[in-house]
Amino acid sequence: MSLHEDAVLVLKGYEGQDAQQSELRDVYLEHLAAHPDGVYKPCQAGHITGSALVVDPARGRVLLTLHKKLGMWLQMGGHCEPGDATLAEAALREAVEESGIPSGLTLLPGGPVRLDRHPIPAPCNWHLDVQYAALAPAGAVAEISEESLDLRWFPYEEVAAVADTSVVRLMEATRARL
């Protein structure tokens, strides 16, 4: 099965928490139907990305990265690569790479937590982000990657003060599934 086919299956199985998430799922599926290359960065109409919010439920905190290009506190994530067999694998790979946690991260069962579509500069138009949550192992030590200016654990109650609405919604949806 190709990454494109996996993305279609994942999205068809995604049941959004509300009408807005369901409508967004349909937008993603229409994009993939129209663009066989829609999971990869070269697709100029936009492309699927995979991200994961790294969570430490035992300590009530999330790990955010200060994105080098955007200067914003975000969850780990990025572009799908040709070696990614599934969207979940792409999101977990990004979480490992950007968190510096070499082993023990596991995706929260149940598939994606949320979808988030956001505009990006030309030549592309959109990131169609499929957002997962990754559980950190006990005693996980994070290490800043080349893609980050900083990496920091934030208590749940501090996230809204440092991150945008998309990250806050992802955190809230993740906490509801824990």
Side-chain angles (χ1 to χ4, degrees), residues 25 33-34 51 72 142 178:
R25 176 201 56 223
S51 68
M72 297 171 60
L178 289 174

Side-chain angles (χ1 to χ4, degrees), residues 28-50:
Y28 283 34
L29 287 168
E30 289 169 12
H31 172 78
L32 289 171
H35 303 282
D37 63 342
V39 294
Y40 297 114
K41 187 177 181 178
C43 182
Q44 292 188 359
H47 46 271
I48 301 289
T49 56

Side-chain angles (χ1 to χ4, degrees), residues 91-105:
L92 186 58
R93 175 187 50 75
E94 287 287 342
V96 169
E97 288 174 2
E98 293 185 8
S99 72
I101 300 173
S103 63
L105 286 179

